Amino acid sequence: MQYRTIADTTVSAIGLGAMPLSIEHRPDEQQAIATIHAALDAGVTLIDTADSYHWHAGEAGHNELLIARALARYSGDTSRLLVATKGGRGRPGDGSWTVTATPAHLKRAAEASLKRLGVEAIGLYQLHKPDPAVPWAESVGALRELLDTGTIRAAGISNVTTGQIREAHAILGDGLVSVQNQYSPAVRRSEPELRLSTQLGLAFLPWSPLGGISRSSLDEPSGPTAASTVFHRIAAERGVSPQQIALAWLLTRSPAVIPVPGASRPASIQDSAKAADLELSEAEQVQLEEALPD
């Protein structure tokens, strides 16, 4: 496993996106915990979650509680593990997603996540999405307060623009350590945010990193998934999965990139983790770049 950094914390170059373990069509708990354990066994030291990763109404924090139970049952070393959670979104239980990023809500949500995870302080707490009804500076100010009180050790922001990154950086300073936007072979509209994150020394955590290769649990189909893409062709030549090629390509985009692919089976995260040690040749990188949509 290769490693990268989030501020002064070293983490695996590939993380685990735990959302599929708790939302619609989630696996049973035995399989979910086996998936988390498989990630840890594969060397993954970053798990991405959120209080809104659940299926039914009234089960906020399902994913955080699941992770806490999985870690409690794990016999190996978890001292290097970073669990990153998020607040500011909700799920009424009808399949929709809401946004609430008032300072009061974010502070309550962080305290609740802290208790569910069973930690002294949240390693990385991310504002899940800007709330159009709340001034951005006020939402980010809540993260500042959470840092100052020691509820969280580091802050991140998600689904943001370059302007929002700059404003958050001005408010949080070194407390801001990461940006999490959608980014994949099929969806690259966050190129400016990736460049800025790299310039500012912020980790960039692509969500839905396999768009164009695998379907996202959150979004509309994002591209072809048949064995017709250059990712599939190179994968066949290398004897690996197209998902590994896509993740390896993401790692070439910037040293700031740390993909967090979702998984609901042990085999899925075991396969994804191998991408951290897969080096693409210059010729392969050129072929992939030329085939990407504009």
Side-chain angles (χ1 to χ4, degrees):
M1 174 63 71
Q2 294 187 29
Y3 295 88
R4 295 194 166 182
T5 58
I6 300 178
D8 58 357
T9 300
T10 299
V11 298
S12 53
I14 301 293
L16 169 65
M19 182 179 69
L21 301 175
S22 290
I23 63 166
E24 289 83 341
H25 313 299
R26 63 196 181 201
D28 62 35
E29 180 155 321
Q30 182 178 358
Q31 181 174 318
I33 288 178
T35 300
I36 295 170
H37 288 179
L40 299 174
D41 290 341
V44 170
T45 62
L46 171 65
I47 298 179
D48 180 75
T49 182
D51 61 1
S52 59
Y53 289 170
H54 61 89
W55 185 350
H56 306 292
E59 53 175 26
H62 181 280
N63 201 239
E64 294 170 326
L65 290 168
L66 173 67
I67 290 168
R69 289 195 295 273
L71 297 183
R73 300 178 193 176
Y74 187 65
S75 60
D77 181 16
T78 59
S79 62
R80 298 174 58 205
L81 179 67
L82 175 63
V83 177
T85 192
K86 296 182 285 294
R89 300 203 76 175
R91 302 208 72 194
D94 60 359
S96 65
W97 297 75
T98 61
V99 181
T100 306
T102 62
H105 174 83
L106 290 172
K107 286 183 278 189
R108 286 195 305 269
E111 291 288 351
S113 291
L114 181 74
K115 292 177 181 178
R116 285 189 289 261
L117 291 171
V119 294
E120 294 182 0
I122 296 172
L124 173 57
Y125 191 71
Q126 304 160 95
L127 200 166
H128 207 152
K129 188 174 184 177
D131 185 340
V134 180
W136 179 238
E138 291 185 12
S139 296
V140 176
L143 298 182
R144 178 74 268 169
E145 290 186 45
L146 291 167
L147 286 166
D148 293 342
T149 59
T151 304
I152 68 175
R153 293 196 174 98
I157 51 178
S158 183
N159 300 299
V160 289
T161 65
T162 55
Q164 289 166 333
I165 294 172
R166 293 187 187 279
E167 188 173 359
H169 190 254
I171 295 169
L172 299 172
D174 292 340
L176 179 65
V177 302
S178 66
V179 171
Q180 186 168 170
N181 277 15
Q182 185 177 19
Y183 189 83
S184 69
V187 182
R188 293 181 298 132
R189 55 179 172 264
S190 281
E191 287 280 2
E193 290 75 25
L194 170 56
R195 289 194 297 270
L196 179 58
S197 297
T198 304
Q199 293 168 12
L200 295 176
L202 306 175
F204 187 87
L205 315 178
W207 63 262
S208 190
L210 297 174
I213 305 299
S214 299
R215 300 300 170 102
S216 167
S217 296
L218 262 181
D219 294 320
E220 70 283 351
S222 53
T225 57
S228 58
T229 72
V230 65
F231 289 87
H232 290 81
R233 181 173 58 76
I234 292 176
E237 293 170 355
R238 296 287 294 267
V240 299
S241 70
Q243 288 80 4
Q244 280 190 45
I245 297 296
L247 294 170
W249 170 78
L250 282 167
L251 292 173
T252 69
R253 304 302 292 167
S254 164
V257 170
I258 306 171
V260 285
S264 58
R265 299 178 299 116
S268 297
I269 188 57
Q270 289 166 343
D271 183 72
S272 291
K274 293 175 183 177
D277 295 317
L278 179 64
E279 293 189 13
L280 299 174
S281 69
E282 290 187 12
E284 288 170 334
Q285 292 182 49
V286 169
Q287 292 175 52
L288 293 170
E289 292 293 327
E290 290 179 344
L292 290 172
D294 294 330

